[in-house]
Amino acid sequence: MRDILEDLEAGKQLSDPDPVRRAQIQMKTPLPKRFYKAVSVVPVENGFAVHLDGKPVRTPGKALLALPTERAATLVADEFSAQSEVIDPVTMPVMRLANTAIDGVTGDPQAVLEDVLRFASSDLVCYRADSPQGLVDRQNRLWDPVLDWARSSLGARFNLAEGVIHVEQPREAIAVLGAHLAQRSEPLRLAAIHVMTSLTGSALLALAVDFGEIDGEEAWAAGHVDEDWQIEHWGQDAEAVARRSARKRDMMAAVALLEALQT
Protein backbone atom coordinates (compact mmCIF):
# COMPACT_ATOMS: atom_id res chain seq x y z
CA MET A 1 0.00 0.00 0.00
CA ARG A 2 2.91 2.36 0.67
CA ASP A 3 4.04 1.96 -2.94
CA ILE A 4 0.51 2.58 -4.18
CA LEU A 5 0.23 5.74 -2.10
CA GLU A 6 3.55 7.02 -3.40
CA ASP A 7 2.53 6.28 -6.99
CA LEU A 8 -0.82 7.98 -6.60
CA GLU A 9 0.70 11.00 -4.90
CA ALA A 10 3.29 11.21 -7.64
CA GLY A 11 0.99 10.91 -10.65
CA LYS A 12 2.37 11.27 -14.14
CA GLN A 13 4.24 14.46 -13.31
CA LEU A 14 5.99 13.06 -10.21
CA SER A 15 7.93 10.11 -11.56
CA ASP A 16 10.40 9.55 -8.71
CA PRO A 17 10.02 9.56 -4.91
CA ASP A 18 13.17 11.67 -4.57
CA PRO A 19 12.11 15.33 -4.92
CA VAL A 20 15.42 16.35 -6.48
CA ARG A 21 15.27 13.53 -9.00
CA ARG A 22 11.67 14.51 -9.78
CA ALA A 23 12.80 18.05 -10.49
CA GLN A 24 15.53 16.76 -12.78
CA ILE A 25 13.03 14.61 -14.68
CA GLN A 26 10.60 17.49 -14.95
CA MET A 27 13.29 19.65 -16.51
CA LYS A 28 13.19 17.19 -19.40
CA THR A 29 9.40 16.76 -19.39
CA PRO A 30 7.38 19.80 -20.51
CA LEU A 31 4.81 20.81 -17.94
CA PRO A 32 1.26 21.56 -19.09
CA LYS A 33 0.57 25.22 -19.68
CA ARG A 34 -1.88 27.01 -17.46
CA PHE A 35 -5.09 26.95 -19.46
CA TYR A 36 -7.52 28.59 -17.01
CA LYS A 37 -8.12 32.09 -15.74
CA ALA A 38 -10.51 31.72 -12.82
CA VAL A 39 -10.29 29.33 -9.86
CA SER A 40 -13.27 28.86 -7.59
CA VAL A 41 -14.58 26.69 -4.76
CA VAL A 42 -18.11 25.42 -5.32
CA PRO A 43 -20.42 23.63 -2.85
CA VAL A 44 -21.33 20.08 -3.88
CA GLU A 45 -23.33 17.29 -2.27
CA ASN A 46 -20.60 16.05 0.10
CA GLY A 47 -18.34 19.05 0.43
CA PHE A 48 -16.66 21.57 -1.81
CA ALA A 49 -15.21 21.09 -5.29
CA VAL A 50 -12.49 23.08 -7.04
CA HIS A 51 -13.46 24.57 -10.40
CA LEU A 52 -11.27 25.99 -13.14
CA ASP A 53 -13.17 28.41 -15.37
CA GLY A 54 -16.39 26.89 -14.07
CA LYS A 55 -15.43 23.27 -14.74
CA PRO A 56 -14.72 20.81 -11.92
CA VAL A 57 -11.22 19.46 -11.41
CA ARG A 58 -10.89 15.68 -11.42
CA THR A 59 -8.26 13.39 -9.90
CA PRO A 60 -5.95 11.18 -12.02
CA GLY A 61 -8.51 8.44 -11.37
CA LYS A 62 -11.25 10.65 -12.87
CA ALA A 63 -13.04 11.20 -9.56
CA LEU A 64 -14.37 14.62 -8.63
CA LEU A 65 -11.78 16.57 -6.64
CA ALA A 66 -13.99 17.49 -3.70
CA LEU A 67 -13.02 18.08 -0.07
CA PRO A 68 -15.19 17.99 3.05
CA THR A 69 -14.69 21.60 4.14
CA GLU A 70 -14.52 24.89 2.28
CA ARG A 71 -11.23 25.73 3.94
CA ALA A 72 -9.66 22.47 2.73
CA ALA A 73 -10.88 23.01 -0.82
CA THR A 74 -9.53 26.55 -0.68
CA LEU A 75 -6.05 25.19 0.02
CA VAL A 76 -6.18 23.33 -3.30
CA ALA A 77 -7.74 26.29 -5.10
CA ASP A 78 -4.94 28.52 -3.83
CA GLU A 79 -2.37 26.13 -5.27
CA PHE A 80 -4.06 26.33 -8.68
CA SER A 81 -4.20 30.11 -8.43
CA ALA A 82 -0.49 30.26 -7.63
CA GLN A 83 0.49 28.55 -10.88
CA SER A 84 1.88 30.95 -13.46
CA GLU A 85 2.62 29.97 -17.05
CA VAL A 86 2.70 26.23 -16.42
CA ILE A 87 1.08 23.85 -13.93
CA ASP A 88 3.73 22.27 -11.75
CA PRO A 89 2.34 19.52 -9.45
CA VAL A 90 5.54 19.60 -7.40
CA THR A 91 4.41 22.97 -6.05
CA MET A 92 0.90 21.65 -5.27
CA PRO A 93 1.33 19.29 -2.29
CA VAL A 94 -2.24 19.62 -0.98
CA MET A 95 -3.68 18.75 -4.37
CA ARG A 96 -1.43 15.70 -4.60
CA LEU A 97 -2.43 14.65 -1.11
CA ALA A 98 -6.12 15.05 -1.97
CA ASN A 99 -5.65 12.98 -5.12
CA THR A 100 -3.94 10.28 -3.08
CA ALA A 101 -6.76 10.21 -0.55
CA ILE A 102 -9.56 10.14 -3.09
CA ASP A 103 -8.03 7.67 -5.55
CA GLY A 104 -6.10 5.49 -3.11
CA VAL A 105 -7.07 5.70 0.54
CA THR A 106 -10.83 5.73 -0.05
CA GLY A 107 -10.73 2.23 -1.51
CA ASP A 108 -8.71 0.65 1.31
CA PRO A 109 -8.27 2.80 4.42
CA GLN A 110 -7.41 -0.25 6.52
CA ALA A 111 -4.24 -0.87 4.51
CA VAL A 112 -3.11 2.72 5.13
CA LEU A 113 -3.89 2.40 8.83
CA GLU A 114 -1.83 -0.77 9.03
CA ASP A 115 1.07 0.92 7.29
CA VAL A 116 1.05 3.68 9.91
CA LEU A 117 1.05 1.02 12.63
CA ARG A 118 4.10 -0.61 11.04
CA PHE A 119 5.92 2.65 11.61
CA ALA A 120 4.71 2.67 15.20
CA SER A 121 6.22 -0.77 15.80
CA SER A 122 9.67 0.77 15.20
CA ASP A 123 8.85 4.38 15.97
CA LEU A 124 11.65 6.93 15.67
CA VAL A 125 11.14 8.36 19.15
CA CYS A 126 11.81 4.97 20.74
CA TYR A 127 15.37 4.64 19.43
CA ARG A 128 17.86 6.71 21.38
CA ALA A 129 21.50 7.53 20.86
CA ASP A 130 23.95 6.60 23.62
CA SER A 131 26.29 9.46 22.66
CA PRO A 132 27.26 12.26 22.23
CA GLN A 133 25.58 13.70 25.28
CA GLY A 134 24.34 16.77 23.40
CA LEU A 135 22.37 14.59 20.99
CA VAL A 136 21.09 12.40 23.82
CA ASP A 137 19.82 15.46 25.66
CA ARG A 138 18.15 16.85 22.56
CA GLN A 139 16.38 13.58 21.82
CA ASN A 140 15.17 13.38 25.40
CA ARG A 141 13.92 16.96 25.33
CA LEU A 142 11.94 16.59 22.10
CA TRP A 143 10.85 12.97 22.29
CA ASP A 144 10.10 12.28 25.95
CA PRO A 145 7.04 14.61 26.06
CA VAL A 146 5.53 12.75 23.08
CA LEU A 147 5.98 9.37 24.78
CA ASP A 148 4.59 10.80 28.04
CA TRP A 149 1.57 12.10 26.14
CA ALA A 150 1.01 8.73 24.43
CA ARG A 151 1.11 6.99 27.78
CA SER A 152 -1.07 9.42 29.73
CA SER A 153 -3.57 10.47 27.05
CA LEU A 154 -3.75 7.48 24.72
CA GLY A 155 -2.92 4.73 27.18
CA ALA A 156 -0.06 3.44 25.02
CA ARG A 157 3.27 2.66 26.72
CA PHE A 158 6.29 2.16 24.45
CA ASN A 159 9.67 0.57 25.12
CA LEU A 160 12.93 2.44 24.48
CA ALA A 161 16.18 1.17 23.01
CA GLU A 162 19.66 2.54 22.44
CA GLY A 163 21.08 2.36 18.94
CA VAL A 164 19.39 0.60 16.04
CA ILE A 165 18.76 -2.84 17.55
CA HIS A 166 15.05 -3.56 17.19
CA VAL A 167 12.98 -3.48 20.35
CA GLU A 168 9.63 -5.25 20.45
CA GLN A 169 6.75 -2.96 21.31
CA PRO A 170 3.86 -4.17 23.46
CA ARG A 171 0.97 -5.46 21.41
CA GLU A 172 -1.34 -3.52 23.67
CA ALA A 173 0.32 -0.24 22.73
CA ILE A 174 0.02 -0.93 19.00
CA ALA A 175 -3.60 -2.00 19.47
CA VAL A 176 -4.38 1.26 21.29
CA LEU A 177 -2.90 3.29 18.44
CA GLY A 178 -4.89 1.19 15.98
CA ALA A 179 -8.09 2.00 17.83
CA HIS A 180 -7.36 5.72 17.72
CA LEU A 181 -6.46 5.56 14.03
CA ALA A 182 -9.68 3.70 13.29
CA GLN A 183 -11.51 6.80 14.54
CA ARG A 184 -9.53 8.80 11.97
CA SER A 185 -10.35 6.71 8.91
CA GLU A 186 -11.72 9.62 6.85
CA PRO A 187 -9.51 9.32 3.73
CA LEU A 188 -8.06 12.85 3.68
CA ARG A 189 -7.27 12.82 7.38
CA LEU A 190 -5.71 9.37 7.24
CA ALA A 191 -3.69 10.30 4.17
CA ALA A 192 -2.33 13.39 5.96
CA ILE A 193 -1.38 11.31 9.00
CA HIS A 194 0.35 8.81 6.70
CA VAL A 195 2.37 11.56 5.02
CA MET A 196 3.49 12.99 8.36
CA THR A 197 4.37 9.52 9.62
CA SER A 198 6.42 8.73 6.52
CA LEU A 199 8.29 12.04 6.60
CA THR A 200 9.17 11.89 10.30
CA GLY A 201 9.47 8.14 10.76
CA SER A 202 7.08 8.41 13.67
CA ALA A 203 3.40 7.53 13.95
CA LEU A 204 3.44 9.02 17.45
CA LEU A 205 4.55 12.43 16.18
CA ALA A 206 1.86 12.35 13.48
CA LEU A 207 -0.85 11.47 15.98
CA ALA A 208 0.37 14.12 18.39
CA VAL A 209 -0.12 16.70 15.64
CA ASP A 210 -3.56 15.35 14.80
CA PHE A 211 -4.59 15.51 18.46
CA GLY A 212 -3.26 19.06 18.76
CA GLU A 213 -0.61 18.09 21.32
CA ILE A 214 2.19 19.58 19.18
CA ASP A 215 2.22 21.69 16.03
CA GLY A 216 3.74 20.95 12.65
CA GLU A 217 6.99 22.79 13.31
CA GLU A 218 7.50 20.93 16.58
CA ALA A 219 6.83 17.60 14.87
CA TRP A 220 9.24 18.45 12.06
CA ALA A 221 11.98 19.37 14.55
CA ALA A 222 11.38 16.22 16.58
CA GLY A 223 11.42 14.08 13.45
CA HIS A 224 14.78 15.50 12.33
CA VAL A 225 16.79 15.62 15.55
CA ASP A 226 19.55 13.36 14.24
CA GLU A 227 19.65 15.04 10.84
CA ASP A 228 19.83 18.50 12.39
CA TRP A 229 22.63 17.37 14.67
CA GLN A 230 24.62 16.12 11.69
CA ILE A 231 23.97 19.34 9.75
CA GLU A 232 25.14 21.47 12.66
CA HIS A 233 28.40 19.56 12.90
CA TRP A 234 29.10 18.59 9.29
CA GLY A 235 26.97 20.85 7.10
CA GLN A 236 25.00 19.78 4.03
CA ASP A 237 25.23 20.18 0.27
CA ALA A 238 22.81 21.97 -2.02
CA GLU A 239 21.09 18.76 -3.10
CA ALA A 240 20.43 17.78 0.51
CA VAL A 241 19.01 21.25 1.18
CA ALA A 242 16.64 20.85 -1.78
CA ARG A 243 15.48 17.42 -0.63
CA ARG A 244 14.86 18.66 2.89
CA SER A 245 12.95 21.70 1.65
CA ALA A 246 10.71 19.51 -0.49
CA ARG A 247 10.03 17.13 2.39
CA LYS A 248 9.17 19.97 4.74
CA ARG A 249 6.84 21.53 2.17
CA ASP A 250 4.94 18.25 1.94
CA MET A 251 4.90 17.90 5.72
CA MET A 252 3.43 21.36 6.26
CA ALA A 253 0.87 20.76 3.52
CA ALA A 254 -0.34 17.69 5.42
CA VAL A 255 -0.51 19.72 8.63
CA ALA A 256 -2.42 22.52 6.91
CA LEU A 257 -4.88 20.03 5.46
CA LEU A 258 -5.49 18.45 8.85
CA GLU A 259 -6.21 21.86 10.34
CA ALA A 260 -8.52 22.76 7.44
CA LEU A 261 -10.50 19.55 7.85
CA GLN A 262 -11.33 20.43 11.45
CA THR A 263 -13.19 23.64 10.60
Side-chain angles (χ1 to χ4, degrees):
M1 172 54 71
R2 191 177 306 173
D3 291 341
I4 294 173
L5 288 174
E6 289 176 352
D7 289 345
L8 283 167
E9 182 181 334
K12 294 181 179 179
Q13 299 294 334
L14 303 178
S15 51
D16 194 282
D18 185 325
V20 173
R21 178 60 181 157
R22 288 202 304 258
Q24 293 170 342
I25 292 172
Q26 288 195 337
M27 289 175 66
K28 302 177 182 178
T29 305
L31 293 171
K33 292 183 178 181
R34 173 168 172 162
F35 58 87
Y36 54 88
K37 293 183 179 180
V39 183
S40 58
V41 171
V42 178
V44 293
E45 183 177 355
N46 294 314
F48 296 84
V50 178
H51 282 204
L52 305 178
D53 291 338
K55 296 181 179 180
V57 177
R58 294 194 174 274
T59 69
K62 308 304 181 185
L64 179 68
L65 182 60
L67 295 91
T69 69
E70 185 175 11
R71 186 179 171 193
T74 299
L75 290 176
V76 178
D78 288 345
E79 290 182 343
F80 274 106
S81 295
Q83 303 304 298
S84 55
E85 294 182 0
V86 297
I87 303 172
D88 185 357
V90 171
T91 64
M92 306 175 73
V94 182
M95 183 200 69
R96 290 189 280 110
L97 185 50
N99 287 341
T100 298
I102 294 168
D103 286 349
V105 181
T106 299
D108 195 359
Q110 183 62 29
V112 182
L113 185 155
E114 291 173 0
D115 198 41
V116 173
L117 291 180
R118 277 191 285 272
F119 276 94
S121 67
S122 56
D123 205 275
L124 171 77
V125 302
C126 296
Y127 291 83
R128 305 301 178 91
D130 55 5
S131 64
Q133 191 59 44
L135 176 58
V136 172
D137 291 343
R138 189 177 300 184
Q139 288 179 345
N140 292 341
R141 176 170 56 83
L142 294 177
W143 293 354
D144 285 354
V146 176
L147 288 168
D148 291 343
W149 165 78
R151 181 176 60 253
S152 62
S153 297
L154 303 184
R157 182 184 296 272
F158 284 80
N159 298 324
L160 302 186
E162 287 187 352
V164 296
I165 298 176
H166 179 70
V167 59
E168 193 74 21
Q169 296 299 343
R171 292 184 178 181
E172 295 81 3
I174 302 301
V176 166
L177 289 194
H180 285 287
L181 282 168
Q183 299 172 9
R184 286 155 171 74
S185 59
E186 192 277 318
L188 283 164
R189 189 175 190 181
L190 190 55
I193 290 172
H194 185 276
V195 165
M196 291 190 297
T197 298
S198 300
L199 291 172
T200 62
S202 172
L204 291 174
L205 288 175
L207 278 173
V209 172
D210 185 58
F211 273 84
E213 180 67 17
I214 60 177
D215 62 28
E217 290 289 346
E218 291 171 319
W220 175 262
H224 294 80
V225 172
D226 293 0
E227 182 178 309
D228 287 341
W229 180 267
Q230 293 296 326
I231 291 171
E232 290 169 14
H233 289 80
W234 303 104
Q236 60 181 337
D237 58 29
E239 191 167 293
V241 171
R243 284 197 300 269
R244 181 182 173 98
S245 177
R247 293 199 312 270
K248 187 171 185 181
R249 176 203 59 213
D250 290 352
M251 172 82 173
M252 294 307 156
V255 173
L257 180 57
L258 270 182
E259 294 173 350
L261 291 172
Q262 295 171 3
T263 57

